[in-house]
Amino acid sequence: MTALLIDSGVDTRADLLGLLPEEVRDQITPRMLESPWTAASLRILATVSNTEWHAHVKNGYIDWQPIITWARDRKRCRFNSPRVALEMAASLGGYPHAHVNLRYAITVMPYHQFIAVMDALRITKQGVSK
């Protein structure tokens, strides 16, 4: 078995900002990037291609409740990988009603999202540098 090395190239606040869509980037405050929990959440959110979550990142705050409500609505969010990514991001962001089933998540996530989750876990421990 070989070791899994996570080097996603996301080490600085600028690296993380560069992954986010422009409309979201404009809503990010330095405080959000200083918090390892929020930075980790943003790392995972950056992998979710559906834009529904963008409107709920505003003025330096992530409003998790509507994001999770949308993710759990199978008529509006029909695929499992964004759903589990949003639940994981919300959990790392401190949303108490997030439901994370790691075993299920790993089975439905594409590899690039799996790597982002692993990177987010690293970010929660180390943060991102200026």
Side-chain angles (χ1 to χ4, degrees), residues 104-116:
Y104 176 72
I106 295 308
T107 63
V108 300
M109 288 185 137
Y111 191 73
H112 78 279
Q113 249 176 359
F114 168 76
I115 293 298

Side-chain angles (χ1 to χ4, degrees), residues 21-80:
E22 189 173 336
E23 67 182 278
V24 173
R25 207 176 308 141
D26 294 341
Q27 300 300 314
I28 303 299
T29 62
R31 181 185 56 79
M32 293 175 80
L33 299 173
E34 291 165 5
S35 164
W37 303 105
T38 307
S41 294
L42 291 169
R43 176 66 183 100
I44 296 172
L45 287 174
T47 70
V48 178
S49 60
N50 189 296
T51 62
E52 180 71 25
W53 63 271
H54 295 189
H56 305 292
V57 178
K58 49 190 166 207
N59 302 321
Y61 176 75
I62 302 172
D63 189 1
W64 289 112
Q65 190 276 322
I67 293 172
I68 295 302
T69 298
W70 172 81
R72 291 178 184 166
D73 183 345
R74 293 189 184 267
K75 291 179 183 170
R76 292 174 35 197
C77 181
R78 297 189 326 215
F79 299 104
N80 292 326

